[in-house]
Amino acid sequence: MSRSIVPAPIARLPWMVIAPLSILVLFGGAVLYSAAGGSMQPFATSHLIRYGVFLTMALVMMFFPRNLVRFMAYPAYAGVLILLVLVEALGAMGGGSQRWLELGFMRLQPSELMKPVIVLALATFYSTLPAGMVPTWRALVPSGILIAFPMALVLMQPDLGTALAIAFGGVVVMFLAGLPMRWFMAAGAAVTVAIPLAYFFALKEYQQRRVTTFLDPESDPLGAGYHITQSKIAIGSGGITGKGFGNGSQSALNYLPEPHTDFVFATMAEEWGLFGGVLVLLVFALVLRWGLVIARDANDTFARLLAAGMTATIFFYVAVNLMMVMGLAPVVGIPLPFMSHGGSSMMTNMICVGTLMMIHRWNQSQARTGFG
Amino acid sequence: MIFRRKQQRPKQVVTAATLQHSFNRRTMIIGGVQGGVGVLLAARMAYIAVAENEKYEMEAESNRVNLSLIAPRRGWVLDRNNAPLASNRADFRVDLIPDRLNDSAKTIDQLGSLLALDPTAVQDLKDKIGDARGFQPVEVASGLKYDQFAAVSVRLPEMPGVVPQRGFSRFYPTGPAVGHLIGYVGAASKEEFDEDPSPLLVTPGFKIGKDGIEKKYEDVLRGEPGARRVEVTASGRIVRDLETRDDVQGNPVKLTIDGPLQDYAARRLGLESGSVVVMDCKSGDLLCMASMPSFDPNSFSDGIGRLEYKMLRDDDRVPLRNKVLKGLYPPGSTVKPTVSTAFLKEGLDPEETVFCSGGLRVGNRVFRCWKRGGHGTVNMAKGIYQSCDVYFYHFAQRLGMDPIAATCRDYGMGQEFDLPVLSQFYGTVPDPAWKLKKYDRQWQAFDTVNATIGQGYMLANPLQLAVMATRLATSKHVEPRLLFDKKVPKFRGMGISDEYTAYIRKAMSDVVNGPGTAGRGRLPLEDVQMAGKTGTAQVVGLNISDGRSGPWKYRDHGLFIFFAPFDNPRYAGAVVIEHGGGSGAAYPIARDVMTFMFDPQKGLDALNSYERQWGGTAQERLNRKYAAIAREAGENVPPVPTRDEDIFDQVEAEARSAALRPTAIAGEAVAPRSDPTPSSAPGGGVPE
C-alpha cells in the first residue's frame, strides 16, 4: 500500500492543489525560459526559486492555529497599513511615486500584502459580528472603513489595479457575509453612475488613455494600443497548437511588451497555442474550485469567509490579467499568478494558497475530531 | 402612515443558520461567476487563436519580416562601338533616413568628421535633411573608401538613421563631355514619388534619370529591383537574412554617338562656349553632340551641391544649357548654300552673274556687301565661296522669299526632329505670312535681304545646321537619329540633280580648299578634303560693337557647317561658337574634329598642344575652377533650389530669352561686317 511507502505527514499534504500548481509554475518557468531568449537567466531560475521559497512558507502557514490567525488579523492589517503610509511618505520625500520598500533580498510592495490581509481582517470582523447585526449599518460601516483606508493609500500611489483588487476581495467577503442583497444592487447602480464621472475627474491622463485604447486599440496602434494589439497578435498567431517551444517571434523579437510579466500568457499562447491556454485555464479552475470547496466545507464563519475571500483574490488576478491580454479589459498592470515573473505577486498568491491549505487542515482535523 | 407601515413590515430574522444558508447560496453564485468568466476566456481565446488565426499569423509575419528592396543596377548607355558612356561602379555609400535620426545636426557633424566631408558638403546635407520627406533616404556620400565605410559601420549603434550600404553608383567615364547628352541620375524627388509611389523610389541608393538619355530611357535603364527579406526586432535591428532575390540589371541603351569623337569635340571646344554636331551622311547617325562648357554628371548624382550650383549658375557661358538643342543662333552665311539650292530649284542658271560693287540698290536704299570694295562679277559658286552678299540680295529680290523659306525648312531649319531628347528648340524660318501673323507687319525688302544672309528673324540650332549640312552634302532627306540601329534607312531625294549637287559640293569645297573664306580650315590630310561654309552672326548692331572685341556677350557668333570628303561625303556637321567673334572661331574646330575622324592621332596631337595652352582637359579645368570657387566662397553660398527640375526649368527659360536677343536687330537691315571671317580665337585664321 502506498501508505507504507509515503510517510503519513507527507501523504496528508494537499497534493490536490500542490500538484497542479507546481505543474503551472514549471510551465511558467518554461515560458520564461523562452521569453529570455532560451535562457534560464534572468527569469526562469528566480521564478522557480521563489516558488520553492514561498511554497515552503505556505506549508509553514498551514500549521498556524486558528486562534493565532484570528488574533493576528487586526495587528497585521494595522502593520500593512503603516507600511503603505511609509511607502507614500518615502515616495513624497523621493519626489515621485514609489510603490515598494527595498528589503535587500526583494522589493516588497505593501499594497500586494494588503490584498490577503484585507480579506483576513474582514473575515475576522464578520465572524465576531453577532448574526442579528448583519443586516444593519454596524455590519457595513466598519468594514467600509477597513477597505477605504488602504484603497485610498494605494490610489495615491497611483495604482488603480491593486486598489480595485483590494476592493474586490473586501466586497466578496462582505457579500458572502450575508449583507443584504439590495445594498449590493444599489452599490452596483452607484458604481455604474460613478464610472463615467471617475473617468473624467479621477483618472490620470495615462489611465484615461488606457481605457480609451482598450475600447478601440486600433485607434493608436503604435502608442497606447500597441500592448493590446501585439498581445492579440501573439495569441492569435499561436493558433491551436502554437508555434513550438522557443519559436515565438512576437516575444523573441520584442514586439510583445512585457513578455515575462503582464503579458506572459500571450508569450505562452504564441508558443503553445490554444492547448497551452486551455491547460492554464484548467489549472486555475482546479485551484479555484478547490478553494471554494474548502470554503464550503469550513465549519465556522471565519474560516468560510477567509477561504472564499482568498479564492476571490486569486480569481481577480487571473480574470483581470487574462481579460487584459485578450483585449477584453484595459491594460491595468496585473500579473498572472504563478506564471508571471515577479516576487510580490508570487508572495501574495502563495499567501492565499497557504491560507487555503491552512483552512483545509482545520477542516480535516475538525472532521477527524468530530468523528473520532 | 408610511412610517407605520414600515414598522409593520415583518422583520427578517437573521441567525447563524440563515447566514450559513445565504453563504452557501452566494458561494454558488461566486462559483458560477468564476466558471462563467473561465468559459468566456476560453471562448475568447479560441476565437482569437482559431477564427482569427490567419489574420494574426499574417500580422505576426509582417511584424517579423522586413522586406527591403535592393536598388537595381542601371543599364549601361553605350556608344556605337559598345563602349560605355554611362556605366556603374561598385561603391561604398552612406545614407541617412531623416525619420530615424535622433539628433540630426549632431549625427551629420559626426558623419562629417568620420567621412572627412568639407564644411559646405555638411551644410548641403543639413539643407537636404531639412526638406526631406521622413522616410526618403538622403545620400551622405558615395564612392567611399573601405576604411571610411568601416568606420561608420562600427559606430552604427550610436547613430540611428545612418545606413551604410554597398551598392553601385553611376559612372560617366568622360564626365562633362556627355553631361548634356546623357543627363544624370539622382534620388527621386517628392514629385516623382507622388507620381509613382513605388517603394523602390525611396530605396536607399536608388537613382532615377533626371535629364537627357537617362531620363528619356528611364524605363529601359531602370531594371528590376532585388529584394532582401530579413527578420527584424521591434526596434528595427536585423536578426538574420531570410532570403535574397538578386536584382535584374536594366537593359543597355545603345546610341549612335561615337564616344571618342564626342569626347574629342567637347575637349576641342576648349575655353569657348559652343557646340559641335557631327552626323553620318549615310544613316543620319548622330556621332557627336557636344555642348560646352558643361557640368560633370558624376558629381550631380549625389545631388547638386550649393557651390557647384553657384559655379554653374554664375558662369555667363551657361554650362547647364544644352546648346546643341537649346541654343538658337542666326545661321549667318551658313544659310547661303541652301539659298543657292532654292535658286537652282527656281530655275536659276548657276552661271548667271551679277556685278558686285560693294552694295546693291533696292528702291532708294543701298544694301552693302561685307566686302566694301566689291567682288566684281559673281556667279553662284563665287557667291558661295566668297560669301558675296550682293549675289544673294540680287537674286532673292528677283525670286522672292517664299521659295527660299520653303527650301530652308526642307533642309532642316525650323524643324523638330524625332529624337529621344527631352526638348529641342526649333527656331524660326521667317516668311511674309509668318511676319504678318507674328508682328502684324508687311514683309519688307530688307527682311528678304536679312534672311538670305541668315540674319534678322532667322534662328536655328546647331543640330538643324548639321542636318542642313548633311542634306546639302547628300541631296537626300537624311533624318538624324540617336538610337543605334544597324539598318541603314532609305532617304528620299531632295529633288536636286546630281549635277547641281556636285556644283554645290565643289563651291563649298572651294570655301576651304579654294579661294574661299576658310582657307585655314583645310584638313592636314593628303586624301581627304573638307567642304564647308562659314557664317558670322551679329547679335547687336554695328554701332554697339565691332563684333570682335569688347564685351564678350556683344561679340558675333561664329558658325561653320561642313562635310567630308567633299566629293563623297561620309560625315557632315556644324560648329557654333557663341560670341566667338566670327566664323574664324568655328572652322578650325571643325577642321580638327574632321581630322580626328580620319586620322585620330593627328587630331589628338593638335588637341594636346591646345590643351597645354588652356591648362588641361575640360574635366581638369572644371575641377580646378570648382576648387578655386570653393576656396573663395567658404560656406557663404546661397542654397540650391530644392528641385533639380527648377534648375533646368530656369535654364530653359533663360535659353529662350537668350535665343531671341539677336532678332532685336531684325527690325532693320543687318549690315554685314566688312570681314566675314575675323577671329579672336586661338587657332583662328584669316581668309586667303
Side-chain angles (χ1 to χ4, degrees):
Chain A
M1 275 173 77
S2 64
R3 264 210 191 164
S4 59
I5 302 164
V6 183
I10 293 181
R12 239 184 284 132
L13 289 177
W15 289 109
M16 269 199 65
V17 67
I18 295 177
L21 267 191
S22 300
I23 291 172
L24 190 59
V25 169
L26 284 174
F27 189 34
V31 173
L32 292 176
Y33 173 84
S34 169
S39 151
M40 291 302 285
Q41 299 296 338
F43 309 135
T45 309
S46 59
H47 183 70
L48 295 177
I49 290 175
R50 277 183 196 143
Y51 176 67
V53 170
F54 289 120
L55 182 64
T56 313
M57 178 202 74
L59 291 174
V60 171
M61 278 178 67
M62 193 175 142
F63 293 97
F64 286 178
R66 178 193 318 240
N67 288 336
L68 175 70
V69 175
R70 288 185 67 151
F71 174 74
M72 286 305 294
Y74 292 125
Y77 175 82
V80 175
L81 206 58
I82 289 168
L83 284 179
L84 275 175
V85 174
L86 201 65
V87 165
E88 200 61 41
L90 280 177
M93 278 192 295
S97 86
Q98 192 178 340
R99 295 176 183 183
W100 64 83
L101 292 171
E102 194 65 67
L103 295 186
F105 65 94
M106 71 173 282
R107 282 177 167 176
L108 180 71
Q109 282 198 36
S111 57
E112 283 289 331
L113 274 180
M114 186 46 92
K115 290 176 199 169
V117 167
I118 187 74
V119 170
L120 174 63
L122 286 178
T124 310
F125 170 72
Y126 283 113
S127 68
T128 52
L129 193 73
M133 279 159 79
V134 165
T136 68
W137 62 272
R138 283 162 180 263
L140 183 62
V141 174
S143 53
I145 292 170
L146 283 178
I147 296 175
F149 272 119
M151 259 192 88
L153 286 168
V154 172
L155 273 178
M156 276 161 68
Q157 287 183 349
D159 186 350
L160 183 64
T162 307
L164 288 176
I166 292 168
F168 184 81
V171 169
V172 166
V173 172
M174 288 163 78
F175 180 70
L176 293 176
L179 266 60
M181 194 60 124
R182 60 179 184 281
W183 291 2
F184 293 98
M185 304 249 188
V191 167
T192 314
V193 174
I195 281 176
L197 294 175
Y199 171 79
F200 287 111
F201 300 110
L203 293 190
K204 302 255 176 192
E205 203 211 323
Y206 82 94
Q207 292 170 322
Q208 287 183 347
R209 213 167 43 233
R210 281 184 178 176
V211 175
T212 48
T213 310
F214 151 65
L215 294 173
D216 182 15
E218 275 73 28
S219 68
D220 187 9
L222 289 179
Y226 184 79
H227 292 61
I228 292 178
T229 309
Q230 295 300 336
S231 170
K232 277 158 75 179
I233 291 176
I235 297 172
S237 64
I240 296 175
T241 54
K243 295 177 184 169
F245 183 54
N247 291 338
S249 62
Q250 285 287 99
S251 55
L253 301 177
N254 304 333
Y255 290 98
L256 187 65
E258 305 285 333
H260 58 291
T261 57
D262 291 1
F263 289 92
V264 73
F265 185 82
T267 310
M268 184 283 301
E270 188 182 15
E271 299 189 353
W272 301 89
L274 188 58
F275 287 157
V278 169
L279 173 71
V280 170
L281 284 175
L282 274 180
V283 170
F284 281 122
L286 275 178
V287 172
L288 293 173
R289 187 176 163 277
W290 172 78
L292 285 181
V293 166
I294 289 171
R296 194 193 62 199
D297 293 348
N299 299 328
D300 60 73
T301 310
F302 175 65
R304 270 201 297 267
L305 293 179
L306 192 56
M310 292 300 175
T311 312
T313 302
I314 299 175
F315 167 75
F316 184 82
Y317 270 91
V318 175
V320 172
N321 176 274
L322 292 186
M323 280 165 53
M324 172 180 85
V325 299
M326 294 186 200
L328 295 174
V331 176
V332 282
I334 285 185
L336 184 64
F338 312 117
M339 288 191 80
S340 288
H341 179 257
S344 288
S345 122
M346 179 69 91
M347 183 183 71
T348 309
N349 286 294
M350 287 311 287
I351 288 174
C352 294
V353 168
T355 309
L356 285 169
M357 292 197 297
M358 175 179 76
I359 298 166
H360 180 60
R361 190 185 59 85
W362 295 347
N363 290 353
Q364 280 179 329
S365 59
Q366 216 136 40
R368 255 202 311 281
T369 53
F371 288 129
Chain B
M1 282 308 283
I2 297 167
F3 186 67
R4 278 174 77 90
R5 213 174 64 187
K6 204 168 186 183
Q7 263 203 336
Q8 279 170 357
R9 201 173 64 174
K11 195 163 180 194
Q12 197 188 358
V13 183
V14 177
T15 64
T18 56
L19 283 182
Q20 162 89 56
H21 184 66
S22 121
F23 177 85
N24 285 343
R25 223 169 355 122
R26 291 185 181 188
T27 310
M28 292 284 282
I29 295 174
I30 298 267
V33 168
Q34 293 185 357
V37 169
V39 170
L40 172 76
L41 288 171
R44 170 70 174 172
M45 185 172 173
Y47 177 73
I48 296 178
V50 179
E52 297 192 309
N53 172 251
E54 211 165 298
K55 167 185 158 193
Y56 286 122
E57 227 167 44
M58 224 169 64
E59 287 189 22
E61 199 63 7
S62 79
N63 265 348
R64 180 175 80 95
V65 176
N66 197 331
L67 185 80
S68 58
L69 292 176
I70 302 170
R73 287 158 295 159
R74 259 179 113 68
W76 288 17
V77 180
L78 302 170
D79 83 343
R80 61 187 298 111
N81 300 314
N82 294 324
L85 298 172
S87 60
N88 302 314
R89 203 157 45 167
D91 176 34
F92 293 110
R93 197 180 65 241
V94 173
D95 296 318
L96 276 179
I97 312 269
D99 227 18
R100 301 221 181 117
L101 291 176
N102 284 343
D103 180 350
S104 63
K106 198 181 128 215
T107 306
I108 292 172
D109 288 336
Q110 201 175 350
L111 278 177
S113 65
L114 280 177
L115 302 176
L117 301 177
D118 61 54
T120 52
V122 170
Q123 191 54 46
D124 277 338
L125 203 56
K126 285 178 181 167
D127 292 351
K128 273 192 252 170
I129 293 289
D131 311 324
R133 213 173 241 238
F135 49 83
Q136 186 182 5
V138 172
E139 182 166 317
V140 176
S142 56
L144 297 175
K145 290 196 203 73
Y146 180 75
D147 293 353
Q148 295 174 311
F149 179 78
V152 173
S153 297
V154 298
R155 286 175 181 79
L156 277 188
E158 24 177 313
M159 299 193 293
V162 176
V163 189
Q165 302 241 19
R166 293 192 64 161
F168 291 90
S169 64
R170 201 63 159 159
F171 178 57
Y172 305 92
T174 48
V178 294
H180 292 130
L181 174 66
I182 308 288
Y184 65 103
V185 295
S189 66
K190 287 177 198 176
E191 283 83 354
E192 281 156 345
F193 181 78
D194 289 341
E195 214 169 277
D196 172 21
S198 137
L200 176 61
L201 264 65
V202 292
T203 302
F206 178 74
K207 298 289 167 62
I208 194 169
K210 291 283 189 178
D211 195 21
I213 294 293
E214 294 276 25
K215 184 167 185 177
K216 194 75 189 176
Y217 286 105
E218 174 63 29
D219 47 346
V220 179
L221 294 168
R222 183 180 286 185
E224 291 289 325
R228 197 174 60 191
R229 273 157 46 91
V230 290
E231 196 171 275
V232 291
T233 67
S235 53
R237 193 172 57 81
I238 293 173
V239 180
R240 61 192 161 122
D241 284 331
L242 296 176
E243 59 176 328
T244 304
R245 190 184 72 218
D246 286 333
D247 62 318
V248 179
Q249 184 169 10
N251 290 318
V253 169
K254 187 170 177 179
L255 302 181
T256 57
I257 295 294
D258 180 338
L261 177 69
Q262 172 85 15
D263 189 40
Y264 181 90
R267 284 167 63 187
R268 180 60 188 83
L269 279 165
L271 306 176
E272 302 284 5
S273 168
S275 39
V276 176
V277 182
V278 179
M279 284 174 66
D280 184 299
C281 290
K282 295 254 168 3
S283 58
D285 286 354
L286 283 158
L287 302 176
C288 160
M289 290 173 84
S291 162
M292 293 301 275
S294 178
F295 55 87
D296 184 355
N298 288 310
S299 75
F300 271 24
S301 63
D302 55 350
I304 302 173
R306 55 168 67 197
L307 254 186
E308 196 167 28
Y309 178 65
K310 176 187 162 59
M311 172 178 84
L312 298 171
R313 193 66 222 144
D314 293 353
D315 191 334
D316 56 2
R317 277 131 171 101
V318 279
L320 292 174
R321 185 188 304 165
N322 182 357
K323 299 178 182 92
V324 170
L325 299 171
K326 292 177 196 169
L328 287 180
Y329 313 94
S333 301
T334 59
V335 82
K336 282 173 183 165
T338 309
V339 176
S340 305
T341 312
F343 294 165
L344 292 175
K345 278 182 159 179
E346 289 299 300
L348 181 71
D349 179 355
E351 295 309 327
E352 191 173 339
T353 58
V354 66
F355 185 81
C356 170
S357 60
L360 179 72
R361 175 174 293 275
V362 180
N364 57 355
R365 294 188 58 173
V366 175
F367 297 104
R368 298 175 68 184
C369 183
W370 67 268
K371 193 168 186 179
R372 303 292 190 250
H375 285 100
T377 306
V378 182
N379 67 0
M380 184 176 285
K382 191 174 178 187
I384 290 173
Y385 66 70
Q386 278 288 318
S387 203
C388 174
D389 296 326
V390 167
Y391 177 84
F392 291 96
Y393 296 161
H394 176 83
F395 290 108
Q397 292 303 317
R398 193 166 99 192
L399 297 167
M401 185 61 205
D402 286 328
I404 296 173
T407 306
C408 284
R409 291 194 189 103
D410 202 23
Y411 275 78
M413 288 178 59
Q415 304 303 300
E416 204 169 357
F417 302 107
D418 180 23
L419 291 175
V421 295
L422 293 176
S423 76
Q424 43 184 321
F425 290 1
Y426 45 88
T428 313
V429 178
D431 61 25
W434 174 87
K435 189 182 178 189
L436 193 64
K437 191 169 167 231
K438 173 122 187 178
Y439 293 101
D440 197 21
R441 268 186 285 173
Q442 288 302 317
W443 190 260
Q444 303 288 330
F446 70 78
D447 285 322
T448 306
V449 164
N450 283 348
T452 52
I453 60 166
Q455 288 278 176
Y457 298 113
M458 198 173 257
L459 289 173
N461 69 32
L463 174 65
Q464 291 168 342
L465 296 180
V467 171
M468 184 165 80
T470 310
R471 290 180 184 171
L472 283 169
T474 58
S475 286
K476 290 215 170 70
H477 202 268
V478 178
E479 288 288 345
R481 64 177 185 181
L482 195 50
L483 268 196
F484 188 82
D485 189 347
K486 266 194 206 134
K487 231 170 51 198
V488 175
K490 277 270 180 227
F491 299 112
R492 65 179 166 86
M494 301 295 292
I496 300 293
S497 68
D498 290 349
E499 182 196 342
Y500 283 168
T501 302
Y503 185 88
I504 297 285
R505 283 177 183 171
K506 179 75 177 80
M508 287 178 72
S509 171
D510 284 342
V511 171
V512 180
N513 307 302
T517 52
R520 289 190 55 187
R522 192 192 294 263
L523 296 186
L525 303 170
E526 293 291 308
D527 47 349
V528 184
Q529 288 191 324
M530 177 172 76
K533 179 72 196 83
T534 55
T536 296
Q538 289 166 230
V539 291
V540 290
L542 287 179
N543 52 336
I544 296 182
S545 166
D546 68 356
R548 272 177 260 177
S549 54
W552 180 76
K553 62 175 182 169
Y554 294 147
R555 295 185 201 166
D556 296 342
H557 296 314
L559 300 96
F560 190 66
I561 62 170
F562 58 90
F563 53 87
F566 87 95
D567 48 355
N568 179 25
R570 280 175 62 197
Y571 309 112
V575 174
V576 177
I577 302 301
E578 288 185 337
H579 307 295
S583 59
Y587 70 76
I589 294 177
R591 173 196 68 205
D592 291 348
V593 167
M594 277 296 106
T595 306
F596 179 79
M597 275 318 276
F598 292 101
D599 187 344
Q601 193 50 53
K602 222 167 214 172
L604 278 174
D605 289 345
L607 177 63
N608 287 337
S609 70
Y610 287 128
E611 281 188 340
R612 268 195 298 281
Q613 293 173 42
W614 297 330
T617 64
Q619 178 82 68
E620 287 162 0
R621 292 198 308 273
L622 195 62
N623 293 346
R624 213 163 39 238
K625 186 169 175 191
Y626 180 81
I629 288 182
R631 260 198 313 282
E632 175 187 325
E635 272 175 84
N636 303 323
V637 181
V640 184
T642 50
R643 297 165 63 241
D644 289 7
E645 291 81 355
D646 289 344
I647 296 174
F648 285 92
D649 286 351
Q650 201 174 346
V651 168
E652 183 148 336
E654 287 166 3
R656 282 181 201 284
S657 74
L660 288 177
R661 214 169 295 134
T663 61
I665 55 172
E668 256 306 316
V670 178
R673 306 263 182 240
S674 56
D675 176 359
T677 59
S679 173
S680 57
V686 291
E688 283 166 4

